[in-house]
Amino acid sequence: MIFQDYVFYALAAILLLAGLRVITARNPVHAALFLVLAFFTAAGIWLLLEAEFLAIALVLVYVGAVMVLFLFVVMMLDINLDRLREGFWDYLPMAGFIGVLMAVEMVMILGSKNFGVERVGAPPAKPADYSNTAELGRVLYTDYLLTFELAAVVLLVAIIAAIALTLRNRKDSKFIDPADQVKVKRADRVRMVSMPSFKEPPADDPANPTDAKDKA
């Protein structure tokens, strides 16, 4: 075994442990932090496969944005953990059956018969000027262009649906339409009123009640 094999097995063990702790941790914040560790470890494995762009994208997008959002949501929602655990054992048999079925399917597809060392060999050595990002872009926009465009359409529909679900017209909210503000004229807001002038009585006038109070 070479040094890269030891690094791979170490990262794989950490990834399995972190993934297990994601689903077994009692505190949701701890589960989110273990998921961050799993993403970092997966990025390390991708670096061993010479997929530097995917590793950096995993760290920047998922760890830097998605997981931070998860942590904020989990901490702000103040989840009642006792209520979440209610009925856990009732769903355990069905969940266990589905988990075992998924594991069997993965073993059948990703087993040594289809993805063994004989089938998938080591990647060939790349020259010094090889760009992983350029190669990924070439394959993405040539061989998988239709798939990429379909994924973009699906994401666009998801964004529009999320905005439509959160956009609600509340009757108790006060807002001003900027278009109405631009069309406002002076005559619509200001009204000149003609009023007779008021002459203040002299200070020594006995009819002035304010002056009488001051003298008293």
Side-chain angles (χ1 to χ4, degrees):
M1 294 179 64
I2 59 177
F3 177 72
Q4 291 184 353
D5 295 336
Y6 291 107
V7 174
F8 170 77
Y9 284 117
L11 293 178
I14 296 174
L15 181 59
L16 291 176
L17 178 61
L20 183 64
R21 289 297 296 159
V22 169
I23 61 176
T24 58
R26 293 181 176 270
N27 194 330
V29 178
H30 294 170
L33 293 176
F34 276 111
L35 189 56
V36 172
L37 176 61
F39 284 149
F40 267 112
T41 310
I45 295 177
W46 281 357
L47 285 176
L48 291 178
L49 296 175
E50 299 181 3
E52 297 85 3
F53 177 79
L54 295 178
I56 295 174
L58 179 64
V59 173
L60 292 180
V61 176
Y62 284 92
V63 178
V66 178
M67 285 312 305
V68 172
L69 179 62
F70 283 177
L71 286 175
F72 274 110
V73 171
V74 168
M75 290 187 292
M76 286 190 300
L77 287 181
D78 194 14
I79 302 174
N80 189 358
L81 300 179
D82 296 332
R83 189 170 182 179
L84 286 178
R85 298 192 187 100
E86 293 179 358
F88 173 77
W89 297 106
D90 298 335
Y91 298 103
L92 184 60
M94 180 59 67
F97 171 74
I98 294 176
V100 172
L101 184 61
M102 292 174 60
V104 172
E105 291 177 352
M106 293 179 65
V107 169
M108 292 174 61
I109 296 175
L110 302 177
S112 59
K113 182 179 179 180
N114 299 322
F115 288 90
V117 179
E118 297 81 7
R119 295 269 182 179
V120 182
K126 303 295 189 304
D129 57 348
Y130 175 78
S131 176
N132 181 260
T133 306
E135 186 66 22
L136 180 64
R138 185 191 65 78
V139 175
L140 186 63
Y141 290 103
T142 53
D143 299 338
Y144 300 98
L145 179 60
L146 180 60
T147 308
F148 179 76
E149 291 179 348
L150 290 177
V153 172
V154 171
L155 291 177
L156 179 61
V157 173
I159 293 173
I160 296 175
I163 295 174
L165 290 175
T166 56
L167 183 60
R168 299 176 182 177
N169 294 327
R170 296 179 54 185
K171 297 181 179 180
D172 56 344
S173 62
K174 297 180 180 180
F175 65 94
I176 299 176
D177 191 359
D180 295 338
Q181 287 184 317
V182 173
K183 293 185 294 183
V184 166
K185 298 180 180 180
R186 183 179 63 87
D188 299 333
R189 295 296 180 90
V190 180
R191 184 166 59 95
M192 302 298 295
V193 178
S194 178
M195 297 181 61
S197 61
F198 175 76
K199 184 178 181 182
E200 186 177 358
D204 54 353
D205 189 357
N208 191 358
T210 305
D211 185 63
K213 288 182 181 180
D214 295 340
K215 291 182 178 180

